[in-house]
Amino acid sequence: ACSSKYVLSALHPMWQGPLVAPGGNRQSPIDIRVRKSVFDPHLKPLTPDYDPGTCSQIWNNGYSFLVEYDDTTDKSILKGGPLEDNFRLCQFHFHWGESNAWGSEHTVDRRLFPAELHMVHWNSNKYRRFEEAVMEENGLAVIGVFLKIGKRHEGLQKLVDALPAVRHKDSVVEFTRFDPACLLPANIDDYWTYAGSLTTPPLTEAVTWIIMKQHIEVSHDQLAVFRSLLFTSAEEEVQKSMVNNFRVQQPLRGRTVRSSFT
Ligand SMILES: NS(=O)(=O)c1ccc(S(=O)(=O)NCc2cccs2)s1
Ligand SMILES: [Zn+2]
């Protein structure tokens, strides 16, 4: 799995950590100014092709909970869009607030969403493993999907039901046969894309971000279960609710955000 070796040792909440990586001029997250984005007619449709059989476990890493995929073969890949190579899915996770008024990392014309899904992929044409790709300029591709409060997301419920088993930091539970495609919006042809970074340590500037224009809906009760998770491990005296696990927004530094739609 991609990130289990990435033991993030920084103290909580990591967003009090380095606000901007040293020399960072392509840091994430950012506010997407819709009218400043540039339509790029050469952007292709995104073609994710995921095998639910590669889903392996859920892990609370003390920042979020990660649904991890076996990334030892090209069974679950992302191609197309702004990407020149094959990118292998290694995990997905979320960021959310303590209230429905905020929680997303990216914003659209300053609009905040209650949560944001990140599907993390690494360039398997150029690198042999995640740990290599995470240090390289075009090593990673992360799909971002905004979540809104609305009707219950039937596909998400299997994941929500498994969360109490990973309440504490460093807990892991087997989790199989989950199709991550069920979390994508109906329309994945309309997206923004820009060159950015990881939003938690190691904050490396390795990410091609692909932010979906269309959001998905989850119910208030489903998101409430995210907030029942803890930043802290079972041994710690003071338990801290896992909420507001988003990074502060970073300067655009002259970057262009491209859109796949007019
Ligand atoms: N938010 S993001 O997609 O830019 C990532 C940051 C770090 C990532 S990791 O895969 O290297 N570590 C595992 C994780 C740490 C925190 C959440 S997931 S992914
Ligand atoms: Zn993330």
Side-chain angles (χ1 to χ4, degrees), residues 222-257:
Q222 288 178 314
L223 200 53
V225 179
F226 285 23
R227 300 187 184 108
S228 72
L229 296 176
L230 300 169
F231 280 131
T232 43
S233 56
E235 299 72 47
E236 295 178 63
E237 295 76 48
V238 180
Q239 299 294 329
K240 290 185 200 141
S241 292
M242 184 180 275
V243 292
N244 301 330
N245 55 356
F246 50 82
R247 188 189 191 194
V248 293
Q249 293 200 335
Q250 302 296 309
L252 192 58
R253 292 272 188 274
R255 285 173 283 178
T256 298
V257 176

mmCIF file of all heavy atoms in Angstrom, residues 222-257:
data_model
loop_
_atom_site.group_PDB
_atom_site.id
_atom_site.type_symbol
_atom_site.label_atom_id
_atom_site.label_comp_id
_atom_site.label_asym_id
_atom_site.label_seq_id
_atom_site.Cartn_x
_atom_site.Cartn_y
_atom_site.Cartn_z
ATOM 1 N N GLN A 222 -24.034 10.597 7.790
ATOM 2 C CA GLN A 222 -22.819 9.932 7.298
ATOM 3 C C GLN A 222 -21.573 10.760 7.653
ATOM 4 O O GLN A 222 -20.572 10.239 8.141
ATOM 5 C CB GLN A 222 -22.915 9.694 5.787
ATOM 6 C CG GLN A 222 -23.924 8.590 5.423
ATOM 7 C CD GLN A 222 -24.053 8.387 3.927
ATOM 8 O OE1 GLN A 222 -24.165 9.347 3.141
ATOM 9 N NE2 GLN A 222 -24.039 7.135 3.504
ATOM 10 N N LEU A 223 -21.682 12.069 7.440
ATOM 11 C CA LEU A 223 -20.522 12.919 7.751
ATOM 12 C C LEU A 223 -20.277 12.961 9.264
ATOM 13 O O LEU A 223 -19.121 13.048 9.713
ATOM 14 C CB LEU A 223 -20.740 14.328 7.190
ATOM 15 C CG LEU A 223 -19.474 15.177 7.017
ATOM 16 C CD1 LEU A 223 -18.408 14.453 6.219
ATOM 17 C CD2 LEU A 223 -19.798 16.509 6.342
ATOM 18 N N ALA A 224 -21.349 12.845 10.048
ATOM 19 C CA ALA A 224 -21.180 12.856 11.513
ATOM 20 C C ALA A 224 -20.304 11.676 11.962
ATOM 21 O O ALA A 224 -19.536 11.787 12.929
ATOM 22 C CB ALA A 224 -22.553 12.795 12.190
ATOM 23 N N VAL A 225 -20.363 10.566 11.240
ATOM 24 C CA VAL A 225 -19.528 9.410 11.623
ATOM 25 C C VAL A 225 -18.046 9.718 11.369
ATOM 26 O O VAL A 225 -17.176 9.320 12.145
ATOM 27 C CB VAL A 225 -19.978 8.135 10.890
ATOM 28 C CG1 VAL A 225 -19.098 6.944 11.270
ATOM 29 C CG2 VAL A 225 -21.440 7.814 11.191
ATOM 30 N N PHE A 226 -17.752 10.496 10.309
ATOM 31 C CA PHE A 226 -16.341 10.916 10.084
ATOM 32 C C PHE A 226 -15.843 11.632 11.351
ATOM 33 O O PHE A 226 -14.736 11.433 11.817
ATOM 34 C CB PHE A 226 -16.245 11.909 8.916
ATOM 35 C CG PHE A 226 -16.382 11.337 7.530
ATOM 36 C CD1 PHE A 226 -17.026 10.134 7.294
ATOM 37 C CD2 PHE A 226 -15.873 12.047 6.445
ATOM 38 C CE1 PHE A 226 -17.159 9.634 5.995
ATOM 39 C CE2 PHE A 226 -16.005 11.563 5.142
ATOM 40 C CZ PHE A 226 -16.649 10.351 4.924
ATOM 41 N N ARG A 227 -16.717 12.488 11.906
ATOM 42 C CA ARG A 227 -16.312 13.324 13.057
ATOM 43 C C ARG A 227 -16.201 12.513 14.358
ATOM 44 O O ARG A 227 -15.724 13.017 15.365
ATOM 45 C CB ARG A 227 -17.304 14.470 13.255
ATOM 46 C CG ARG A 227 -17.425 15.392 12.060
ATOM 47 C CD ARG A 227 -18.291 16.615 12.356
ATOM 48 N NE ARG A 227 -18.460 17.447 11.159
ATOM 49 C CZ ARG A 227 -19.605 17.530 10.482
ATOM 50 N NH1 ARG A 227 -20.685 16.891 10.900
ATOM 51 N NH2 ARG A 227 -19.674 18.275 9.384
ATOM 52 N N SER A 228 -16.648 11.249 14.295
ATOM 53 C CA SER A 228 -16.534 10.409 15.505
ATOM 54 C C SER A 228 -15.148 9.765 15.583
ATOM 55 O O SER A 228 -14.800 9.155 16.587
ATOM 56 C CB SER A 228 -17.596 9.299 15.478
ATOM 57 O OG SER A 228 -17.248 8.330 14.482
ATOM 58 N N LEU A 229 -14.363 9.940 14.525
ATOM 59 C CA LEU A 229 -12.991 9.408 14.543
ATOM 60 C C LEU A 229 -12.137 10.301 15.438
ATOM 61 O O LEU A 229 -12.517 11.431 15.768
ATOM 62 C CB LEU A 229 -12.422 9.359 13.125
ATOM 63 C CG LEU A 229 -13.136 8.423 12.155
ATOM 64 C CD1 LEU A 229 -12.545 8.533 10.757
ATOM 65 C CD2 LEU A 229 -13.067 6.982 12.640
ATOM 66 N N LEU A 230 -10.973 9.757 15.821
ATOM 67 C CA LEU A 230 -10.083 10.480 16.737
ATOM 68 C C LEU A 230 -8.701 10.653 16.137
ATOM 69 O O LEU A 230 -8.207 9.774 15.424
ATOM 70 C CB LEU A 230 -9.972 9.710 18.062
ATOM 71 C CG LEU A 230 -11.286 9.503 18.825
ATOM 72 C CD1 LEU A 230 -11.092 8.506 19.955
ATOM 73 C CD2 LEU A 230 -11.831 10.833 19.343
ATOM 74 N N PHE A 231 -8.070 11.792 16.417
ATOM 75 C CA PHE A 231 -6.680 12.045 16.014
ATOM 76 C C PHE A 231 -5.738 11.191 16.871
ATOM 77 O O PHE A 231 -4.633 10.890 16.490
ATOM 78 C CB PHE A 231 -6.302 13.513 16.296
ATOM 79 C CG PHE A 231 -6.778 14.512 15.283
ATOM 80 C CD1 PHE A 231 -7.422 15.664 15.703
ATOM 81 C CD2 PHE A 231 -6.569 14.341 13.922
ATOM 82 C CE1 PHE A 231 -7.848 16.631 14.797
ATOM 83 C CE2 PHE A 231 -6.982 15.301 13.007
ATOM 84 C CZ PHE A 231 -7.627 16.446 13.448
ATOM 85 N N THR A 232 -6.233 10.844 18.065
ATOM 86 C CA THR A 232 -5.361 10.286 19.103
ATOM 87 C C THR A 232 -5.452 8.764 19.170
ATOM 88 O O THR A 232 -6.470 8.168 18.813
ATOM 89 C CB THR A 232 -5.808 10.859 20.466
ATOM 90 O OG1 THR A 232 -7.239 10.838 20.513
ATOM 91 C CG2 THR A 232 -5.329 12.295 20.627
ATOM 92 N N SER A 233 -4.354 8.181 19.643
ATOM 93 C CA SER A 233 -4.339 6.707 19.749
ATOM 94 C C SER A 233 -5.022 6.285 21.045
ATOM 95 O O SER A 233 -5.261 7.112 21.943
ATOM 96 C CB SER A 233 -2.885 6.219 19.730
ATOM 97 O OG SER A 233 -2.173 6.850 20.771
ATOM 98 N N ALA A 234 -5.310 4.991 21.146
ATOM 99 C CA ALA A 234 -6.088 4.478 22.282
ATOM 100 C C ALA A 234 -5.374 4.742 23.612
ATOM 101 O O ALA A 234 -6.016 4.974 24.635
ATOM 102 C CB ALA A 234 -6.324 2.982 22.075
ATOM 103 N N GLU A 235 -4.032 4.812 23.566
ATOM 104 C CA GLU A 235 -3.277 4.944 24.836
ATOM 105 C C GLU A 235 -3.348 6.368 25.395
ATOM 106 O O GLU A 235 -3.197 6.589 26.578
ATOM 107 C CB GLU A 235 -1.801 4.582 24.625
ATOM 108 C CG GLU A 235 -1.535 3.146 24.155
ATOM 109 C CD GLU A 235 -1.955 2.931 22.704
ATOM 110 O OE1 GLU A 235 -1.605 3.785 21.859
ATOM 111 O OE2 GLU A 235 -2.670 1.942 22.425
ATOM 112 N N GLU A 236 -3.548 7.357 24.511
ATOM 113 C CA GLU A 236 -3.459 8.748 24.991
ATOM 114 C C GLU A 236 -4.596 9.096 25.940
ATOM 115 O O GLU A 236 -5.734 8.653 25.733
ATOM 116 C CB GLU A 236 -3.449 9.703 23.781
ATOM 117 C CG GLU A 236 -2.189 9.516 22.916
ATOM 118 C CD GLU A 236 -2.191 10.412 21.691
ATOM 119 O OE1 GLU A 236 -2.169 11.648 21.860
ATOM 120 O OE2 GLU A 236 -2.247 9.874 20.571
ATOM 121 N N GLU A 237 -4.265 9.880 26.983
ATOM 122 C CA GLU A 237 -5.287 10.221 27.997
ATOM 123 C C GLU A 237 -6.359 11.096 27.364
ATOM 124 O O GLU A 237 -7.541 10.820 27.453
ATOM 125 C CB GLU A 237 -4.667 10.996 29.186
ATOM 126 C CG GLU A 237 -3.652 10.213 30.017
ATOM 127 C CD GLU A 237 -2.331 10.093 29.308
ATOM 128 O OE1 GLU A 237 -1.844 11.124 28.806
ATOM 129 O OE2 GLU A 237 -1.817 8.962 29.203
ATOM 130 N N VAL A 238 -5.900 12.175 26.718
ATOM 131 C CA VAL A 238 -6.879 13.135 26.178
ATOM 132 C C VAL A 238 -7.200 12.741 24.728
ATOM 133 O O VAL A 238 -6.305 12.710 23.886
ATOM 134 C CB VAL A 238 -6.311 14.577 26.230
ATOM 135 C CG1 VAL A 238 -7.334 15.555 25.673
ATOM 136 C CG2 VAL A 238 -5.896 14.933 27.652
ATOM 137 N N GLN A 239 -8.468 12.432 24.471
ATOM 138 C CA GLN A 239 -8.884 12.053 23.112
ATOM 139 C C GLN A 239 -9.298 13.304 22.349
ATOM 140 O O GLN A 239 -10.012 14.157 22.876
ATOM 141 C CB GLN A 239 -10.070 11.077 23.191
ATOM 142 C CG GLN A 239 -9.743 9.787 23.930
ATOM 143 C CD GLN A 239 -8.711 8.941 23.180
ATOM 144 O OE1 GLN A 239 -8.651 8.969 21.961
ATOM 145 N NE2 GLN A 239 -7.884 8.239 23.928
ATOM 146 N N LYS A 240 -8.830 13.409 21.099
ATOM 147 C CA LYS A 240 -9.170 14.589 20.287
ATOM 148 C C LYS A 240 -9.956 14.158 19.059
ATOM 149 O O LYS A 240 -9.493 13.278 18.318
ATOM 150 C CB LYS A 240 -7.887 15.294 19.818
ATOM 151 C CG LYS A 240 -7.112 16.005 20.935
ATOM 152 C CD LYS A 240 -5.928 16.764 20.350
ATOM 153 C CE LYS A 240 -4.888 17.062 21.430
ATOM 154 N NZ LYS A 240 -3.517 16.900 20.896
ATOM 155 N N SER A 241 -11.110 14.771 18.862
ATOM 156 C CA SER A 241 -11.936 14.430 17.688
ATOM 157 C C SER A 241 -11.211 14.781 16.401
ATOM 158 O O SER A 241 -10.607 15.853 16.305
ATOM 159 C CB SER A 241 -13.248 15.225 17.717
ATOM 160 O OG SER A 241 -14.034 14.770 18.784
ATOM 161 N N MET A 242 -11.292 13.891 15.442
ATOM 162 C CA MET A 242 -10.691 14.130 14.126
ATOM 163 C C MET A 242 -11.652 15.007 13.329
ATOM 164 O O MET A 242 -12.597 14.515 12.703
ATOM 165 C CB MET A 242 -10.424 12.807 13.401
ATOM 166 C CG MET A 242 -9.711 13.006 12.076
ATOM 167 S SD MET A 242 -9.400 11.448 11.231
ATOM 168 C CE MET A 242 -7.859 10.949 12.013
ATOM 169 N N VAL A 243 -11.397 16.324 13.412
ATOM 170 C CA VAL A 243 -12.180 17.313 12.643
ATOM 171 C C VAL A 243 -11.225 18.418 12.203
ATOM 172 O O VAL A 243 -10.123 18.553 12.756
ATOM 173 C CB VAL A 243 -13.329 17.932 13.482
ATOM 174 C CG1 VAL A 243 -14.406 16.918 13.808
ATOM 175 C CG2 VAL A 243 -12.785 18.598 14.751
ATOM 176 N N ASN A 244 -11.654 19.203 11.225
ATOM 177 C CA ASN A 244 -10.840 20.332 10.723
ATOM 178 C C ASN A 244 -9.463 19.869 10.265
ATOM 179 O O ASN A 244 -8.462 20.543 10.511
ATOM 180 C CB ASN A 244 -10.711 21.418 11.806
ATOM 181 C CG ASN A 244 -12.066 21.950 12.244
ATOM 182 O OD1 ASN A 244 -13.010 21.968 11.453
ATOM 183 N ND2 ASN A 244 -12.178 22.345 13.495
ATOM 184 N N ASN A 245 -9.387 18.711 9.640
ATOM 185 C CA ASN A 245 -8.097 18.161 9.185
ATOM 186 C C ASN A 245 -7.779 18.639 7.770
ATOM 187 O O ASN A 245 -7.483 17.851 6.870
ATOM 188 C CB ASN A 245 -8.100 16.635 9.265
ATOM 189 C CG ASN A 245 -9.248 16.000 8.496
ATOM 190 O OD1 ASN A 245 -10.107 16.695 7.955
ATOM 191 N ND2 ASN A 245 -9.258 14.691 8.430
ATOM 192 N N PHE A 246 -7.837 19.964 7.589
ATOM 193 C CA PHE A 246 -7.539 20.578 6.287
ATOM 194 C C PHE A 246 -6.403 21.574 6.465
ATOM 195 O O PHE A 246 -6.186 22.085 7.568
ATOM 196 C CB PHE A 246 -8.779 21.295 5.716
ATOM 197 C CG PHE A 246 -9.436 22.236 6.690
ATOM 198 C CD1 PHE A 246 -8.959 23.529 6.880
ATOM 199 C CD2 PHE A 246 -10.520 21.813 7.458
ATOM 200 C CE1 PHE A 246 -9.551 24.378 7.794
ATOM 201 C CE2 PHE A 246 -11.110 22.664 8.385
ATOM 202 C CZ PHE A 246 -10.639 23.950 8.555
ATOM 203 N N ARG A 247 -5.668 21.805 5.413
ATOM 204 C CA ARG A 247 -4.542 22.748 5.469
ATOM 205 C C ARG A 247 -5.013 24.139 5.072
ATOM 206 O O ARG A 247 -5.934 24.278 4.262
ATOM 207 C CB ARG A 247 -3.427 22.288 4.513
ATOM 208 C CG ARG A 247 -2.131 23.083 4.641
ATOM 209 C CD ARG A 247 -1.143 22.759 3.549
ATOM 210 N NE ARG A 247 0.173 23.351 3.851
ATOM 211 C CZ ARG A 247 1.163 23.463 2.975
ATOM 212 N NH1 ARG A 247 0.973 23.024 1.723
ATOM 213 N NH2 ARG A 247 2.309 24.002 3.301
ATOM 214 N N VAL A 248 -4.350 25.156 5.574
ATOM 215 C CA VAL A 248 -4.668 26.534 5.148
ATOM 216 C C VAL A 248 -4.299 26.685 3.668
ATOM 217 O O VAL A 248 -3.398 26.008 3.164
ATOM 218 C CB VAL A 248 -3.906 27.589 5.983
ATOM 219 C CG1 VAL A 248 -4.387 27.583 7.409
ATOM 220 C CG2 VAL A 248 -2.419 27.378 5.887
ATOM 221 N N GLN A 249 -4.991 27.576 2.968
ATOM 222 C CA GLN A 249 -4.751 27.752 1.545
ATOM 223 C C GLN A 249 -3.410 28.431 1.300
ATOM 224 O O GLN A 249 -2.917 29.194 2.135
ATOM 225 C CB GLN A 249 -5.924 28.517 0.918
ATOM 226 C CG GLN A 249 -7.190 27.652 0.977
ATOM 227 C CD GLN A 249 -8.250 28.076 0.008
ATOM 228 O OE1 GLN A 249 -8.311 29.232 -0.397
ATOM 229 N NE2 GLN A 249 -9.104 27.132 -0.391
ATOM 230 N N GLN A 250 -2.840 28.121 0.142
ATOM 231 C CA GLN A 250 -1.486 28.534 -0.187
ATOM 232 C C GLN A 250 -1.490 29.521 -1.358
ATOM 233 O O GLN A 250 -2.452 29.534 -2.152
ATOM 234 C CB GLN A 250 -0.679 27.281 -0.567
ATOM 235 C CG GLN A 250 -0.645 26.228 0.541
ATOM 236 C CD GLN A 250 0.052 26.720 1.789
ATOM 237 O OE1 GLN A 250 1.177 27.233 1.729
ATOM 238 N NE2 GLN A 250 -0.612 26.600 2.921
ATOM 239 N N PRO A 251 -0.445 30.355 -1.466
ATOM 240 C CA PRO A 251 -0.413 31.334 -2.568
ATOM 241 C C PRO A 251 -0.322 30.675 -3.940
ATOM 242 O O PRO A 251 0.320 29.632 -4.088
ATOM 243 C CB PRO A 251 0.855 32.150 -2.280
ATOM 244 C CG PRO A 251 1.604 31.441 -1.228
ATOM 245 C CD PRO A 251 0.709 30.465 -0.544
ATOM 246 N N LEU A 252 -0.993 31.289 -4.917
ATOM 247 C CA LEU A 252 -1.022 30.718 -6.271
ATOM 248 C C LEU A 252 0.340 30.849 -6.958
ATOM 249 O O LEU A 252 0.723 29.983 -7.753
ATOM 250 C CB LEU A 252 -2.126 31.420 -7.083
ATOM 251 C CG LEU A 252 -2.524 30.795 -8.418
ATOM 252 C CD1 LEU A 252 -2.991 29.347 -8.229
ATOM 253 C CD2 LEU A 252 -3.637 31.614 -9.082
ATOM 254 N N ARG A 253 1.097 31.895 -6.611
ATOM 255 C CA ARG A 253 2.454 32.100 -7.168
ATOM 256 C C ARG A 253 2.444 32.042 -8.697
ATOM 257 O O ARG A 253 3.252 31.344 -9.315
ATOM 258 C CB ARG A 253 3.414 31.023 -6.620
ATOM 259 C CG ARG A 253 3.691 31.166 -5.141
ATOM 260 C CD ARG A 253 4.877 32.115 -4.880
ATOM 261 N NE ARG A 253 5.258 32.103 -3.467
ATOM 262 C CZ ARG A 253 4.684 32.876 -2.545
ATOM 263 N NH1 ARG A 253 3.697 33.676 -2.887
ATOM 264 N NH2 ARG A 253 5.081 32.815 -1.273
ATOM 265 N N GLY A 254 1.451 32.680 -9.297
ATOM 266 C CA GLY A 254 1.458 32.806 -10.760
ATOM 267 C C GLY A 254 1.025 31.568 -11.508
ATOM 268 O O GLY A 254 1.033 31.531 -12.733
ATOM 269 N N ARG A 255 0.619 30.530 -10.820
ATOM 270 C CA ARG A 255 0.202 29.309 -11.524
ATOM 271 C C ARG A 255 -1.106 29.541 -12.281
ATOM 272 O O ARG A 255 -1.933 30.347 -11.872
ATOM 273 C CB ARG A 255 -0.006 28.167 -10.523
ATOM 274 C CG ARG A 255 1.264 27.551 -9.989
ATOM 275 C CD ARG A 255 0.974 26.542 -8.888
ATOM 276 N NE ARG A 255 0.657 27.186 -7.611
ATOM 277 C CZ ARG A 255 0.326 26.520 -6.510
ATOM 278 N NH1 ARG A 255 0.240 25.184 -6.542
ATOM 279 N NH2 ARG A 255 0.077 27.171 -5.371
ATOM 280 N N THR A 256 -1.277 28.789 -13.365
ATOM 281 C CA THR A 256 -2.537 28.821 -14.116
ATOM 282 C C THR A 256 -3.345 27.579 -13.759
ATOM 283 O O THR A 256 -2.804 26.465 -13.716
ATOM 284 C CB THR A 256 -2.254 28.812 -15.637
ATOM 285 O OG1 THR A 256 -1.512 29.977 -15.957
ATOM 286 C CG2 THR A 256 -3.560 28.799 -16.441
ATOM 287 N N VAL A 257 -4.635 27.803 -13.488
ATOM 288 C CA VAL A 257 -5.544 26.672 -13.312
ATOM 289 C C VAL A 257 -6.265 26.485 -14.640
ATOM 290 O O VAL A 257 -6.844 27.436 -15.182
ATOM 291 C CB VAL A 257 -6.568 26.950 -12.179
ATOM 292 C CG1 VAL A 257 -7.576 25.802 -12.078
ATOM 293 C CG2 VAL A 257 -5.835 27.160 -10.853
#
